Amino acid sequence: MSTGLLFSRDDLVFYIFPTHRHADVEKLKELIRDYGGDVCDYHRLQSDDERLGRSEGVALIDPTQLYAPKLLRKREKVDPDGEVVLTYLNWGYAQLCVDQNELIHYDVARRALVFCRGSWPDGSWRFYFSEKLGQEKEHFQKTVRRIQKYGGSVVFTEDIADVFIAPDDPTLLLAARNRFEWDPQTRVETESWLFECVDQGYVKFTSPPVRRMPGRRPGSRRVEFTPEDDKHLVTYIANKGREDGQGLQGIGFYTRLYNSGLEWAKRHPPDSWRGRYGNNREEFNARIERYRARHPEIHRDNYGRDNRTRFQNTLDRYLSSTQRNLQHSKDTHAQDKTGEGQVPRQFNEEEDEEHFPPRRRRRSDQ
């Protein structure tokens, strides 16, 4: 068969399913037409193209699309009479036929294109094997040959890999997926996943786990604050909070409230308790002062209160620093009065403390 007429059959029509890779679609159309093929618009397929009734339609599927596994698993479209009118194939089929210079049987092509992701030469999925797999050389080489047999390739540089093959161990697999979580170009799968793809005849990646967005669940209703909640909050702050009001703007105080074991404290999360006090601070402060005025006997020794302070450590450092500087000045003054052949003057704290540091001595006194 002439190379230029490889696809020139009246009963063969190619359709390309929609994909976002428009540049690749144009190259694929050009390749098919260069070899005498006929490429029809996908919308003609949707409108029941008349040619489908008398021709063999081949729908080329981009394997990177979400719908690809479903269509490749379906394999064929059958009319009401049971006749096959459309065959679903990996869109690397055209390039495979060109490379072999013959029309490849569909079943053979499916096996040869399991790990093919592109319609261009060498358009295969690139696999990188984690060093933590600990594979023996013979087993690794066997796996590489199997991947290449089904259209894939193995690379030894992690940066250019499309699929990172991790161990089946759940802990190591989770660590690898967390590592590539924000990398849209690299998927993380296991070696057993490779064998599953070969058995089913197409690539289907593991869907990432769905995690709930922060905030209130859809459909849930907000629990409104009641006068009883405000009364409980006033009592708790009056008994547990500092008298100067420090620490009531942070989340820690309300986290302790939530974890205190009080039944009413579980009605709202810590953020809500903090927001309730912060948005009505003046009103709550007034109620707290009135409560403390009516109960002056509660915790007079501050036991059980929030006894943290921002100033204690600073005060200790200031006092110790002042004492050290004072002692250093006294020692320096005593040394200054010591000359060669003179007996050092003893420092009398009772006499010199009043005038410390001592006034400058006149020459007549020396």
Side-chain angles (χ1 to χ4, degrees), residues 67-342:
Y67 59 75
K70 179 179 179 180
L71 294 180
L72 294 175
R73 181 174 63 249
K74 188 177 179 180
R75 293 194 171 204
E76 297 171 342
K77 180 179 180 180
V78 181
D79 63 9
D81 297 331
E83 297 292 333
V84 176
V85 295
L86 192 64
T87 301
Y88 301 110
L89 292 176
N90 186 304
W91 71 350
Y93 175 74
Q95 185 64 51
L96 178 65
C97 293
V98 170
D99 294 340
Q100 300 293 330
N101 195 24
E102 63 176 337
L103 287 176
I104 307 298
H105 191 275
Y106 298 152
D107 290 336
V108 176
R110 288 190 180 98
R111 303 293 290 175
L113 298 173
V114 172
F115 297 127
C116 177
R117 69 182 179 94
S119 58
W120 56 89
D122 299 328
S124 59
W125 292 103
R126 294 166 294 188
F127 297 91
Y128 175 85
F129 285 81
S130 171
E131 297 177 354
K132 296 183 179 180
L133 284 170
Q135 293 180 330
E136 297 181 357
K137 183 177 181 180
E138 182 178 353
H139 177 73
F140 175 73
Q141 292 177 348
K142 182 179 179 180
T143 305
V144 170
R145 289 194 298 268
R146 190 172 189 179
I147 291 176
Q148 294 173 345
K149 176 182 177 181
Y150 294 104
S153 61
V154 177
V155 296
F156 299 94
T157 303
E158 182 180 312
D159 298 337
I160 63 174
D162 301 311
V163 184
F164 182 93
I165 302 299
D168 287 299
D169 180 83
T171 303
L172 298 177
L173 178 61
L174 179 61
R177 284 181 172 163
N178 290 338
R179 177 183 171 192
F180 292 97
E181 182 177 11
W182 299 106
D183 184 359
Q185 305 299 328
T186 306
R187 304 296 185 95
V188 178
E189 299 293 349
T190 62
E191 188 176 8
S192 60
W193 171 86
L194 287 173
F195 303 141
E196 293 177 3
C197 293
V198 172
D199 293 339
Q200 63 194 10
Y202 55 88
V203 169
K204 183 179 181 181
F205 292 109
T206 303
S207 300
V210 179
R211 291 178 290 185
R212 187 174 68 88
M213 291 288 289
R216 193 162 62 249
R217 295 177 183 272
S220 63
R221 298 183 59 184
R222 177 185 179 91
V223 178
E224 299 295 337
F225 281 92
T226 63
E228 194 70 17
D229 291 335
D230 293 343
K231 182 179 179 180
H232 287 312
L233 184 58
V234 168
T235 304
Y236 185 86
I237 295 177
N239 288 321
K240 300 295 184 181
R242 292 172 53 89
E243 293 189 2
D244 56 7
Q246 294 185 29
L248 297 180
Q249 299 298 315
I251 193 62
F253 181 83
Y254 303 95
T255 301
R256 290 193 295 273
L257 164 62
Y258 186 79
N259 298 326
S260 63
L262 299 172
E263 184 177 355
W264 57 267
K266 295 292 185 180
R267 280 177 47 82
H268 308 282
D271 281 330
S272 295
W273 286 116
R274 181 178 66 169
R276 183 64 174 175
Y277 171 79
N279 295 333
N280 306 276
R281 183 164 45 185
E282 295 182 0
E283 178 184 350
F284 273 102
N285 287 343
R287 294 179 61 178
I288 291 169
E289 291 299 326
R290 291 196 297 268
Y291 180 91
R292 287 173 174 170
R294 293 195 303 268
H295 303 83
E297 72 284 354
I298 297 179
H299 301 312
R300 296 298 298 175
D301 58 352
N302 285 333
Y303 184 80
R305 289 184 182 271
D306 185 359
N307 57 4
R308 297 173 298 173
T309 179
R310 295 187 178 91
F311 306 107
Q312 187 62 39
N313 294 337
T314 303
L315 181 61
D316 293 342
R317 288 197 300 270
Y318 172 75
L319 292 177
S320 60
S321 176
T322 302
Q323 292 172 356
R324 287 196 303 270
N325 293 337
L326 181 61
Q327 184 62 40
H328 177 72
S329 299
K330 291 179 180 179
D331 295 342
T332 303
H333 175 66
Q335 293 175 5
D336 290 343
K337 291 191 175 182
T338 303
E340 184 177 356
Q342 298 182 358

Side-chain angles (χ1 to χ4, degrees), residues 17-28:
F17 265 64
T19 175
H20 63 281
R21 298 158 69 176
H22 303 295
D24 296 333
V25 170
E26 294 302 321
K27 292 180 181 179
L28 181 57

Side-chain angles (χ1 to χ4, degrees), residues 1-12 14 31-38 97-98 101-103:
M1 180 181 293
S2 174
T3 303
L5 302 176
L6 181 61
F7 301 129
S8 60
R9 287 173 45 186
D10 294 336
D11 60 344
L12 180 61
F14 288 99
L31 174 67
I32 295 174
R33 288 167 180 163
D34 287 345
Y35 284 82
D38 187 7
C97 293
V98 170
N101 195 24
E102 63 176 337
L103 287 176

